[in-house]
Amino acid sequence: MLSNLSKLFTVQLPPLLTLVSAFLILFTFLSPVPMHNDSLALVTIAPGSTSPQLQIRDAIVRRLPRAAAAAVVERSATQTSAGPFLTFGFLGSCTKETSTATAKCTASSLNPTYDLTALPSALRTTFIAGPPQTSPQWTIITILAIFTFVTLTILPLFIAKLANHAAFCRIAAWIGIIGWVTGIVTVIVLHVTFANAASTFNMMAANQKSSQLVASLGNGFTGRSYKFIPRAFLLDLKVIVALIVLWVAFSLAVPSLVCTLFSHKLHEEAKSG
């Protein structure tokens, strides 16, 4: 019984978690362009109103009952300004004139230029024109490395001799580590870049009294003040911030990396015991 549980948690489950991790990274990389997925983005610019968000923040701080919090949500929904919805990803951006309109997306590119024409002319130069250079390329390397790592960790399930091969385990582990490290560094760079871009955009938009647009990475990732978070992020969760998904994805890959690093030693100890 214990041996079966040990095999499940050290041999069978980690590759499955890493496979989920690889697909999460892949889906994030392909959203919102070319998948035209309006529910996943690195950063979003959407209509927002400071007043409703402050009301929502107060409701959260006071820990109101669910019914009372829902009432705050309804009130904030009616006060949110109309305007364009822009989502930005690794390979391009998508724009919707309204929340229910059809998205118009740029062509997929490893060096994309975001479409900012829907923004007021005074704000177009306040947001970055594209993701950090080479971040799409490094993400591709990460995806290829993690999928290769998944394949190598699954092979010992069918070819038992590979699990006892020290060189095979080291190669698999180092491929996984390279993919994991390059991915984490890329996410950190994306976080810093887009957080600064969103902060600058929000400060400039606050000075434009005619604009109610708000840029956000999402409260779950940045921990910033709620007043600069669009209602879609904070309450409806209609937009899942890609950076949060990436953190989850890389976290899921850790158990498999650890098990692969020490798998050969475990097999040797089991034989000697």
Side-chain angles (χ1 to χ4, degrees), residues 5-18 149 152-153 156 162-163 165-166 168-170 172-174 177 252-267:
L5 287 175
S6 176
K7 184 179 180 181
L8 174 66
F9 286 108
T10 61
V11 179
Q12 298 173 346
L13 187 59
L16 179 61
L17 293 176
T18 310
F149 173 70
L152 294 178
T153 53
L162 292 177
H165 201 290
F168 176 84
C169 294
R170 292 194 192 100
W174 276 110
I177 290 172
L252 291 176
V254 171
S256 188
L257 286 171
V258 174
C259 290
T260 305
L261 280 171
F262 297 101
S263 61
H264 180 64
K265 291 184 179 179
L266 291 175
H267 283 288

Side-chain angles (χ1 to χ4, degrees), residues 31-175:
S31 297
V33 178
M35 290 179 64
H36 294 188
N37 184 352
D38 60 357
S39 62
L40 191 63
L42 291 174
V43 65
T44 295
I45 297 177
S49 176
T50 300
S51 175
Q53 300 310 323
L54 289 176
Q55 295 176 14
I56 296 166
R57 179 184 62 182
D58 293 339
I60 294 174
V61 171
R62 287 181 290 163
R63 296 183 180 180
L64 294 180
R66 184 173 299 180
V72 174
V73 173
E74 292 299 323
R75 286 198 300 270
S76 68
T78 61
Q79 298 177 30
T80 302
S81 303
F85 289 74
L86 292 82
T87 53
F88 306 92
F90 284 96
L91 304 178
S93 64
C94 290
T95 303
K96 294 195 294 184
E97 296 298 329
T98 64
S99 60
T100 57
T102 302
K104 298 179 181 179
C105 300
T106 61
S108 302
S109 174
L110 290 178
N111 296 292
T113 299
Y114 291 151
D115 181 10
L116 304 176
T117 56
L119 297 176
S121 57
L123 296 177
R124 290 175 189 171
T125 58
T126 62
F127 197 75
I128 58 177
Q133 290 186 352
T134 70
S135 61
Q137 290 84 344
W138 281 111
T139 306
I140 290 176
I141 293 174
T142 298
I143 293 171
L144 292 175
I146 291 182
F147 269 108
T148 303
F149 173 70
V150 171
T151 303
L152 294 178
T153 53
I154 290 177
L155 283 177
L157 298 177
F158 303 96
I159 306 175
K161 293 182 179 179
L162 292 177
N164 300 323
H165 201 290
F168 176 84
C169 294
R170 292 194 192 100
I171 291 172
W174 276 110
I175 290 175

